[in-house]
Structures are given as C-alpha cells and as structure tokens.
Amino acid sequence: MIKQKIYGLIEKGSHGSKLNLRFDYVVMILIVLNIIAMILETIPNINDPLDHFFRIFEIASIIFFSIEYILRIYVSNLTHPSSNRIKSALKFIFSAYGLIDLFAIAPFYLPFIIKIDLRFIRILRIFRFMRILKINRYSNSINIIWTVIKEKKSELAITGFITILVLLTSSFLMYYIEGKAQPNKFPNIISSLWWAVATLTTVGYGDVYPVTGLGKFISALIAICGIGLVALPTGIISSGFMKKINKPNTSTNKCPHCGKEIS
Amino acid sequence: MIKQKIYGLIEKGSHGSKLNLRFDYVVMILIVLNIIAMILETIPNINDPLDHFFRIFEIASIIFFSIEYILRIYVSNLTHPSSNRIKSALKFIFSAYGLIDLFAIAPFYLPFIIKIDLRFIRILRIFRFMRILKINRYSNSINIIWTVIKEKKSELAITGFITILVLLTSSFLMYYIEGKAQPNKFPNIISSLWWAVATLTTVGYGDVYPVTGLGKFISALIAICGIGLVALPTGIISSGFMKKINKPNTSTNKCPHCGKEIS
Amino acid sequence: MIKQKIYGLIEKGSHGSKLNLRFDYVVMILIVLNIIAMILETIPNINDPLDHFFRIFEIASIIFFSIEYILRIYVSNLTHPSSNRIKSALKFIFSAYGLIDLFAIAPFYLPFIIKIDLRFIRILRIFRFMRILKINRYSNSINIIWTVIKEKKSELAITGFITILVLLTSSFLMYYIEGKAQPNKFPNIISSLWWAVATLTTVGYGDVYPVTGLGKFISALIAICGIGLVALPTGIISSGFMKKINKPNTSTNKCPHCGKEIS
Amino acid sequence: MIKQKIYGLIEKGSHGSKLNLRFDYVVMILIVLNIIAMILETIPNINDPLDHFFRIFEIASIIFFSIEYILRIYVSNLTHPSSNRIKSALKFIFSAYGLIDLFAIAPFYLPFIIKIDLRFIRILRIFRFMRILKINRYSNSINIIWTVIKEKKSELAITGFITILVLLTSSFLMYYIEGKAQPNKFPNIISSLWWAVATLTTVGYGDVYPVTGLGKFISALIAICGIGLVALPTGIISSGFMKKINKPNTSTNKCPHCGKEIS
C-alpha cells in the first residue's frame, strides 16, 4: 500500500528505517538552508544581487513543506489512531509537531487571506528541527534531561521565586537610591529592573550602573547573589542527574493514597 | 463557631482546605497587582492619567490587608496557642509572618503619626508572598534547599571568607597600582573594592577597568579566581543535595498531591 | 644500538626513564621561550632593539625542532611498528602528534617553496605541549575528563542544540524588534547573533544592547537562560565524574608500551 | 607558671579555652578596625580631619601586635617544640603564621632601617585572619575543601592547561585578525591576551571587543568555551566533595593539639 510506504518514509524512520532517516536528513538540510537564507536576506550586500534566487528558494521550500504537511495529514490515521479519519487529522494538526509544521508554512499563505507581514514567523521553521530529538540516540538523552528538570521542578521553582523576590526588591531600592542621582538611567522601576537582571545574571552591559555609594553597595550584593543564582540550580540539577545514574531502573512512583505520581 | 471558620479561611488552607487555598490565591493576586501598581506609578506617562485610580486601589488594598491583619490577631490564640490571649497576639505580631504583614500596612498609617515618607517600604509587601512557601508542595522543596545550605554553612562561610580576603587584598593592590594612572577611577580603596566585586563576580560593567600592565595582570587573576568562586560553592551545594538524595528515608515523605505521609 | 638510545631519549621517557623526562622538559622550556618570543615580537618597543636576537633564536629553535622531527621519523618503526619502514614513517607523519610536530616547523620552510606569510601558524607550536599529557600523572586525569565528556556526548549535544535554537530564535526576534530603533547596531541577523552570544554567555561587552522595552525584555529572558546554559552542562558533567568515582575499576586501561587500550 | 598562662592565652584557645577565644576575638576586631582604617585613610574627606587619630591608632596597633609577636617568640618552645630555644624561635618565625605575624608589623619598622615606603604591605595584616581557620568549627571545613582540591589537583591542572592553550591560541589569532582593524586596541599579543581573559571568564568590561566579522566569530567561540571553563572545574570539584561524603571515615584525621595525622 502506498499509504504504508509514505508512512514509512516520513514517520517511521525515527525507529530504524534507513529510507526515513535519509528523508529526515533531507528535511534537516532544507531547514538549515532556509535559516541561512533568512539570515543572508537581512544583509543588503548579499540580498540585493541574490533577491530573485532567495524568492525562488523560499517558494520551493514552501512547496516541499506543504506537500509534506498534506502527506502527514493523509497518514494521520496511522500516526494518530482514533475512531475516524477527521479526528485523526485534527489530532495531528493540533499536536505539538503538527502545529510546528503548520507554523512553518502558514506565514506564506496568510498574507493572501489577511494583509499582514508575518515573514518573521518563518523563524518558527527552526523548531521543525525538534523532530531530530525523536531519533533514538538523542531521544534517550532528552528524556533524561527532561525527567531531571521535571523531578526538580519545585526546587527550581523556589529558586526562580527567590530570584524574582531579589530582583523586585533590589529594583525598588535602586530606584529610590539612584533615581535622584541618575534620573535618565533610573527613570522608573522598569528601568531599574533592567539593571537588576543585567547585574544578577552578571551580564553587565555597562549601559546602566550605579554611581552613588549606597547604590554600588547594593549592586555588589546583587552581583554576589548572582553567584548563588548559578550555584543553587546547578546543584539541584547535578543531584537530579546523579539520582538518575544511581537508580535508573526505578521509574516513577505512585502515591498509595491518591494514585498520583511522586517524583 | 465563626472564629473557627475565619481560622479555616485565612490559616488552615495551606494544609488542604479548598476555601483557604482560594483565599490565598486572592491575596497573591492582590499582591501581584499591588506590585504592578507600584512599578507603574513610577512611570509618569502611565501615572499621570491614572493617578486617581492608583490612589483608590492603594486604599482598597490597605483596607483589605488591615482587616486581614486584625482577623489574624483575632484568631492568634488558635495559630499561636499560649496561656492567654494577649500573649498569643504578641506571639503572632512578632513572628516572622506577623512582622511581614505589619510592614505591608504600616507605611500607610505611619505618616499620620510621624511626618516621614515611607512609601518605598511598601515593597516589603512582596515578602507576604513567602506565605506561598507554606503550601505543601513548596514547603518540602524549601526545606530541602534550606537544610542543604544549613548543613554546608561552614564550608560556604569559608568560601565567603576566602572571597573577602581576595576582594580586600586585590582592592589594596589595585589602589596602589592603578591609583596613579587613573586617579579619578581609583581615588580610594572603596572605589577599588567596587572594581574588585565587578570583576570577581564577572559582571564587568566597564565603568572601571585597569589600564596599566600590572593592573591588567591582577585583574586577569581576579577574573580567573571568579571561576573558582562559582565552582567551589556550586560543588559544595551539589554534594549537599546529593547527600539528601542518598538517604531520603530520614526525612518525612509526603505526597505532594494529597499531603498524606507515605511510609 | 644508537636507535634504541634515541628512542629512549625522545619517546620512552613518558613511562619512566629519567633521561627522556629531562629531554621532555628541555622541549617544554624551548616551547615556552618560543611563545614568549612570539608575544614579545609584537611589541615594537621590545622587538626593535632585539629583532636580531629574536631571529637567531627562531632559527635555533627551528634547527632543534627539525632535527627532533627527523629523529622521530628515524625511530618511527619503533614507535609506530608496521610491515615496512616507509609505512611506519607515514604512520608517524600523519599521526596527531606527527602533524603537530610538522606544523611547528612547516611555517619556516614553506615560504621558500610558495610565497606566503605563514608566520602566524607558528602558534601551533603551542600544541606540541600536548605531549605533556602523555606523562603518566596527567594521562590518567585527561583520560577521566575525556571519558566523561565522551559518555555524556549526546546529553551535551542536546544542550548545544537547545542553545543554538535559543540563539537563533532570539537573534531573529531581536533583529525585527531592535532593527528599527538601532539600525546601526542591529543591521542584520549576523549582528543580532553577536548580541545573542554576548548575552547568553553573560559576557556583555556593552557594544550592543537593546534600547526598546520589548528588546530589553527578551534580552533579560536570554540572560536568565544563560544561567540554565551553565547549570545544565555543569550538572551533566558533575554526574559523569561521579559515575567514574563510584565504579572506577571499569575504566579503560592502556598498555604502558604502545598506549593502546587493553580490555 | 606565667609562660603557661601566656601560652594558654595566645595559642591554646583554639582548642577550647574561653580566655583565649576572647583574646582571639580581640585580635580579630583589631584587624577589622585596622583594615577599615586603612580603607578610610585613602579617602581625603575622611583622612584630613582624622589624620592624627589614624596615626595614633596605627601606632597603638603596632605596639599591640609587636608585644604579641614577642610573646609568641617567648612561648615558641611550647608551640614549636625542638631541641633548644633558638631553634624553636626560628621554627616559629619561619612558620606560615610566624611570617604573617612578622609581615603585619614589619612595614612599620623597616622605614627606620632602609628608606622605602612599604605602607601598602600593611594589607598583609589581613592574612592574620587566617588564624580563624584554626578554630575547630572551621578547621574541619577548610580541611575538606583543601583535601578535595588536593585530590583533584591533576584534573584541575589539566583544565588550567587547556585554558592556557585556548587563551594563547585565541590571542594569537585575534592579534592577526583584529590588529589591522583596531591597531590601538590590539597593538600586540599582550593586549590580545587581556581581551582573551576578559572574554573567557565572561567579565566583558567592554574596553576591548572585536569589530571584524571573523573576530566576532572567534570571540563568540571563546565566550562559549568560557561556559566549559566553568562547567569542567565545577563538575570535578562537585565529584570531589561527593566522594568525601560517600566515605567520610577514610579521610585523614589530625590531632587537634599537634596537627599530626592520626591513623
């Protein structure tokens, strides 16, 4: 059956078939070329002489991705089995991968319907890359990383919560301290927050920095907090990875009382 | 009894009651709105037309928080049991949460008594958020993080001590080295310390940096020390979290969903 | 036999002989002096009066390295045993160490053949230092580090992959957001990528930074992602090192004579 | 005996005596005051009116430290037992703590002998603080940190070695790439090294940054390497701390009285 073959070509490969793997590589290369084209288009020196070529390449890509999208809908009753065809198609269309595939082509068709420039949405095409994660070798690793982050969710949330507390408190203080000395740098608390993030993450662009003694003192405290901001999540994640290694076979436990999963 | 109901509404919820959880969410949302209002008030374009609205919202918030504070004092003999009512009330008022609640409303009432502008203290309202940590799901995580930091207290103190030694020594050296070349950037050791913190934490705003050869050499050393400053506490905290995982049976396990203990 | 002695002098030492160790130290010191000379040559104040001396030192070094290279080819049938002499010589020449040795001297001889200035390739001489890694004390450590990185290859690749996704997506967004406000700072996506790398790695030179509100918001998000970018690989590598410690006897052993792995 | 009492006062305390602990705290406070004085002396606004006071305080400190130093020599046959008095005194004088104590007072006496300004050496007084590390609570922690670093010495050395390779190679490349575009920023490889350190450690002051495309590309690579530079040592140190926790009884114990190892 042709449907089976199409299915084998565009979907099954992630679990072994060489033909599909080759198809996947073709898609990957096409996406890489698309991204390179999108980058080069923004450089006038390169875009001006090659404008015509970029347009043709874009249209060719869209045709390819559109056909692939239609084929994926066509085989959706195999990939997303359900009671009837339409349900399967909808299941695929509204799945994470389905939406990514749609966003990769939609920016081209939409301007025909409504008058808006959505060309920058084309970047979402990059997320089509995430299909790569389904390849066995990587899917295992992404699973480990994902499980670790999920298991440490609430510890990481607490770190995030403390970070927000520190950011907001220091922004308020800084606004009242530096606002008078540098009214153009700290005109409001939003600007103050920008300074707080740049300091806590130790980026330190140097566009905004305190000049008063007290301001510098608070800035120094925040910068030192920034080290804790790195140390805490790193420690949490490290211990998560370690746990995975020490007992990799014991999967998710369930609470004997309510039956929900416990990390 | 009405007291029991009030108690159930404002305090008990963190241990299961749906009604209280809903009350807690209302308080959280109110605080978030308060913080957003405080931020927007500092932006003239937004504040000028909405000044009236912000005032009303502030007064409404204060009324809400004040009533809540009085109710908490009213039920304090349930939350902070002691030999008599006044002792309970005082116990609550001087507890960590009680003081946070007081600081959240005090800046509004104080100007009526003494003539000072304490509006910036309103930011302390943000710490009311810490009640969230009492919610079971998070209280477990915060406990783990807290125990790890407490257990590793003296190792972390040593790291802090070494950091201070490095900061002070490099500040002194830098003052004598760069002070002559850039008298306006390194006029005294306090300024030198500001440079040292910015370098060691790798913030590097770029407002102060060495220009002499020797100064750059010391700066490079400090910057490299900065890596150790991250690596040491991270390693210490990682090992702390690992220890917690290796013997988790000594801590009480609770189902994060239903809150019951699991043997 | 003289060949055995030469072999003992230039190759065997890493496994004990004192004579060879001394030879290795001579080579190390010569390389260090070479690098210092290369650095000083670029400072006119130092180079002008010492130009003559630097030339003589360079020629002396080349003579030393050339003789050593010829000797290594001469003893290649001992170091790289094979069916015949020429095969051994080629085996050595195209080995990693052989190519490093060749690159260390080639920049001197090539200009006699073709007219190009390859002086900057001399820096490759620095990689001759990697012979130090063959010394027993270090070869064990480098093995551990290498094995850990190799074992965690696909987890680290996923981190790299996510990093690239974040970098590209944020560059695209930033180009469309900041491009209008600062056309000279964000003229194209390549420039935008430069900003993205500087922010994600928290370097923050301060030559490019957002000025619009939305741009600052995205910049803050990327800077915070930068913490995850440190936390994830650190956690992965930490767990890798831990695994090595927990079962150190399963590590790969190497033959002390030929350096090949023994099962 | 008075000598026993002096010994108990200035030395023994770290192992329990309350009297000595109090003496230690007096010394600590004096050092802190000394450091504060040294910092304030560099601020003209503060120094000018208080100049007289600072001089008196300095002389009083010197007298105190000098008497303490003489007393330590006096009891050196108890703290550093040996065959005769002079040997004990020399043993103390040339011990790490003895030298620190000497450097704390020497800058005051030296100008009487030779005509040099050694006032900046006074900062070494800060290292007197390290006596704090002998206090039991901290001596244990410092031991753990020290043992971990010592055990991981060669792994950390390899990381340092790779770092130097990366720094030097990138500096050479950057000099040849950016040297032509920005001759005043990259005039020689020393300047290039300054950029390399600022980038690899992610300090990024912003005084030197690449402007050419190729320069930016290399800079981005180095900045990303900077993440590895944090991840590798952190992972190594984490695993070191973990090992200590997993088998804490195998660690070397030291006699709290003489400092020798106990099996």
Side-chain angles (χ1 to χ4, degrees), chain D residues 135-159:
Chain D
I135 292 168
N136 252 326
R137 191 150 59 109
Y138 294 109
S139 79
N140 201 21
S141 299
I142 197 104
N143 262 4
I144 291 172
I145 294 174
W146 191 241
T147 330
V148 165
I149 292 171
K150 224 161 59 186
E151 261 174 22
K152 298 288 167 184
K153 206 171 49 186
S154 59
E155 265 102 335
L156 292 172
I158 293 289
T159 314

Short mmCIF file of all heavy atoms in Angstrom, two decimals, chain D residues 135-159:
data_model
loop_
_atom_site.label_atom_id
_atom_site.label_comp_id
_atom_site.label_asym_id
_atom_site.label_seq_id
_atom_site.Cartn_x
_atom_site.Cartn_y
_atom_site.Cartn_z
N ILE D 135 40.23 27.63 64.36
CA ILE D 135 39.10 27.36 65.24
C ILE D 135 38.41 26.09 64.74
O ILE D 135 38.16 25.94 63.54
CB ILE D 135 38.13 28.56 65.28
CG1 ILE D 135 38.81 29.74 65.97
CG2 ILE D 135 36.84 28.19 65.98
CD1 ILE D 135 38.10 31.06 65.84
N ASN D 136 38.14 25.20 65.69
CA ASN D 136 37.70 23.85 65.34
C ASN D 136 36.60 23.77 64.30
O ASN D 136 36.68 23.01 63.34
CB ASN D 136 37.22 23.12 66.59
CG ASN D 136 38.22 22.06 66.98
OD1 ASN D 136 38.84 21.47 66.11
ND2 ASN D 136 38.40 21.85 68.26
N ARG D 137 35.55 24.57 64.50
CA ARG D 137 34.39 24.52 63.62
C ARG D 137 34.80 24.73 62.16
O ARG D 137 34.28 24.08 61.25
CB ARG D 137 33.41 25.61 64.04
CG ARG D 137 32.07 25.54 63.41
CD ARG D 137 31.05 26.11 64.35
NE ARG D 137 31.38 27.50 64.65
CZ ARG D 137 30.67 28.54 64.19
NH1 ARG D 137 29.61 28.33 63.44
NH2 ARG D 137 30.98 29.77 64.52
N TYR D 138 35.73 25.65 61.92
CA TYR D 138 36.12 25.95 60.56
C TYR D 138 37.24 25.05 60.07
O TYR D 138 37.33 24.75 58.90
CB TYR D 138 36.52 27.42 60.44
CG TYR D 138 35.36 28.33 60.67
CD1 TYR D 138 35.26 29.10 61.81
CD2 TYR D 138 34.33 28.39 59.74
CE1 TYR D 138 34.17 29.93 62.02
CE2 TYR D 138 33.23 29.21 59.94
CZ TYR D 138 33.17 29.97 61.09
OH TYR D 138 32.08 30.77 61.28
N SER D 139 38.13 24.63 61.01
CA SER D 139 39.30 23.86 60.58
C SER D 139 38.86 22.57 59.89
O SER D 139 39.52 22.09 58.98
CB SER D 139 40.21 23.58 61.76
OG SER D 139 39.71 22.52 62.52
N ASN D 140 37.71 22.04 60.31
CA ASN D 140 37.20 20.83 59.69
C ASN D 140 36.77 21.11 58.25
O ASN D 140 37.12 20.37 57.33
CB ASN D 140 35.99 20.34 60.51
CG ASN D 140 35.72 18.89 60.26
OD1 ASN D 140 36.61 18.17 59.80
ND2 ASN D 140 34.50 18.46 60.52
N SER D 141 36.05 22.21 58.06
CA SER D 141 35.56 22.57 56.73
C SER D 141 36.70 22.90 55.79
O SER D 141 36.71 22.47 54.64
CB SER D 141 34.62 23.77 56.83
OG SER D 141 33.51 23.46 57.61
N ILE D 142 37.67 23.68 56.32
CA ILE D 142 38.78 24.06 55.45
C ILE D 142 39.56 22.81 55.04
O ILE D 142 40.03 22.69 53.91
CB ILE D 142 39.70 25.13 56.10
CG1 ILE D 142 40.57 25.79 55.03
CG2 ILE D 142 40.61 24.55 57.18
CD1 ILE D 142 40.11 27.15 54.67
N ASN D 143 39.63 21.84 55.97
CA ASN D 143 40.30 20.57 55.66
C ASN D 143 39.61 19.85 54.51
O ASN D 143 40.27 19.37 53.59
CB ASN D 143 40.26 19.65 56.88
CG ASN D 143 41.56 19.71 57.63
OD1 ASN D 143 42.45 20.48 57.28
ND2 ASN D 143 41.68 18.91 58.67
N ILE D 144 38.26 19.79 54.56
CA ILE D 144 37.52 19.12 53.50
C ILE D 144 37.78 19.81 52.17
O ILE D 144 38.15 19.17 51.18
CB ILE D 144 36.00 19.11 53.82
CG1 ILE D 144 35.73 18.17 55.01
CG2 ILE D 144 35.19 18.67 52.61
CD1 ILE D 144 34.31 18.23 55.52
N ILE D 145 37.63 21.14 52.14
CA ILE D 145 37.84 21.89 50.89
C ILE D 145 39.25 21.66 50.37
O ILE D 145 39.45 21.35 49.19
CB ILE D 145 37.58 23.41 51.11
CG1 ILE D 145 36.10 23.65 51.43
CG2 ILE D 145 38.00 24.22 49.90
CD1 ILE D 145 35.76 25.08 51.80
N TRP D 146 40.22 21.74 51.28
CA TRP D 146 41.61 21.57 50.89
C TRP D 146 41.87 20.17 50.33
O TRP D 146 42.54 20.02 49.29
CB TRP D 146 42.51 21.86 52.10
CG TRP D 146 43.95 21.98 51.72
CD1 TRP D 146 44.98 21.19 52.15
CD2 TRP D 146 44.52 22.92 50.82
NE1 TRP D 146 46.14 21.59 51.58
CE2 TRP D 146 45.90 22.65 50.75
CE3 TRP D 146 44.00 23.97 50.06
CZ2 TRP D 146 46.77 23.39 49.95
CZ3 TRP D 146 44.87 24.70 49.25
CH2 TRP D 146 46.23 24.41 49.21
N THR D 147 41.36 19.14 51.02
CA THR D 147 41.58 17.77 50.56
C THR D 147 40.97 17.56 49.18
O THR D 147 41.58 16.92 48.31
CB THR D 147 40.94 16.76 51.54
OG1 THR D 147 40.94 17.29 52.84
CG2 THR D 147 41.69 15.44 51.52
N VAL D 148 39.75 18.11 48.97
CA VAL D 148 39.10 17.95 47.67
C VAL D 148 39.95 18.56 46.57
O VAL D 148 40.21 17.92 45.54
CB VAL D 148 37.68 18.59 47.69
CG1 VAL D 148 37.13 18.76 46.29
CG2 VAL D 148 36.74 17.76 48.53
N ILE D 149 40.43 19.79 46.80
CA ILE D 149 41.24 20.46 45.78
C ILE D 149 42.54 19.67 45.54
O ILE D 149 42.96 19.49 44.40
CB ILE D 149 41.53 21.93 46.18
CG1 ILE D 149 40.23 22.73 46.14
CG2 ILE D 149 42.57 22.56 45.27
CD1 ILE D 149 40.34 24.13 46.71
N LYS D 150 43.14 19.16 46.63
CA LYS D 150 44.40 18.44 46.50
C LYS D 150 44.20 17.13 45.74
O LYS D 150 45.01 16.78 44.88
CB LYS D 150 44.98 18.16 47.90
CG LYS D 150 46.45 18.43 48.00
CD LYS D 150 46.92 18.60 49.43
CE LYS D 150 46.62 17.39 50.28
NZ LYS D 150 46.95 17.62 51.72
N GLU D 151 43.10 16.45 46.04
CA GLU D 151 42.83 15.17 45.36
C GLU D 151 42.57 15.37 43.88
O GLU D 151 42.90 14.51 43.06
CB GLU D 151 41.60 14.51 45.99
CG GLU D 151 41.96 13.44 47.00
CD GLU D 151 40.73 12.92 47.70
OE1 GLU D 151 39.62 13.04 47.15
OE2 GLU D 151 40.88 12.37 48.81
N LYS D 152 41.94 16.47 43.54
CA LYS D 152 41.56 16.73 42.15
C LYS D 152 42.61 17.59 41.45
O LYS D 152 42.35 18.11 40.36
CB LYS D 152 40.19 17.42 42.11
CG LYS D 152 39.08 16.58 42.70
CD LYS D 152 38.74 15.45 41.76
CE LYS D 152 37.87 14.40 42.43
NZ LYS D 152 37.62 13.27 41.54
N LYS D 153 43.79 17.72 42.13
CA LYS D 153 44.87 18.56 41.63
C LYS D 153 45.15 18.37 40.15
O LYS D 153 45.14 19.33 39.38
CB LYS D 153 46.13 18.25 42.44
CG LYS D 153 47.14 19.33 42.54
CD LYS D 153 48.20 18.94 43.55
CE LYS D 153 48.74 17.52 43.31
NZ LYS D 153 49.67 17.08 44.36
N SER D 154 45.38 17.12 39.72
CA SER D 154 45.82 16.96 38.33
C SER D 154 44.68 17.17 37.34
O SER D 154 44.91 17.68 36.26
CB SER D 154 46.55 15.64 38.12
OG SER D 154 45.74 14.57 38.46
N GLU D 155 43.43 16.82 37.73
CA GLU D 155 42.30 17.12 36.83
C GLU D 155 42.18 18.65 36.66
O GLU D 155 41.98 19.15 35.56
CB GLU D 155 40.97 16.60 37.41
CG GLU D 155 40.57 15.24 36.90
CD GLU D 155 40.88 14.19 37.93
OE1 GLU D 155 41.79 14.44 38.78
OE2 GLU D 155 40.23 13.13 37.94
N LEU D 156 42.28 19.36 37.79
CA LEU D 156 42.18 20.83 37.72
C LEU D 156 43.35 21.42 36.94
O LEU D 156 43.18 22.39 36.20
CB LEU D 156 42.11 21.42 39.14
CG LEU D 156 40.83 21.11 39.92
CD1 LEU D 156 40.94 21.58 41.36
CD2 LEU D 156 39.61 21.72 39.26
N ALA D 157 44.54 20.80 37.09
CA ALA D 157 45.72 21.27 36.35
C ALA D 157 45.49 21.12 34.85
O ALA D 157 45.83 22.03 34.07
CB ALA D 157 46.96 20.50 36.77
N ILE D 158 44.87 20.00 34.46
CA ILE D 158 44.57 19.78 33.04
C ILE D 158 43.61 20.87 32.53
O ILE D 158 43.81 21.43 31.45
CB ILE D 158 43.94 18.38 32.82
CG1 ILE D 158 44.97 17.28 33.11
CG2 ILE D 158 43.38 18.23 31.40
CD1 ILE D 158 46.07 17.14 32.11
N THR D 159 42.58 21.15 33.33
CA THR D 159 41.65 22.22 32.96
C THR D 159 42.39 23.55 32.79
O THR D 159 42.17 24.27 31.81
CB THR D 159 40.55 22.39 34.05
OG1 THR D 159 40.06 21.11 34.41
CG2 THR D 159 39.42 23.24 33.54
#
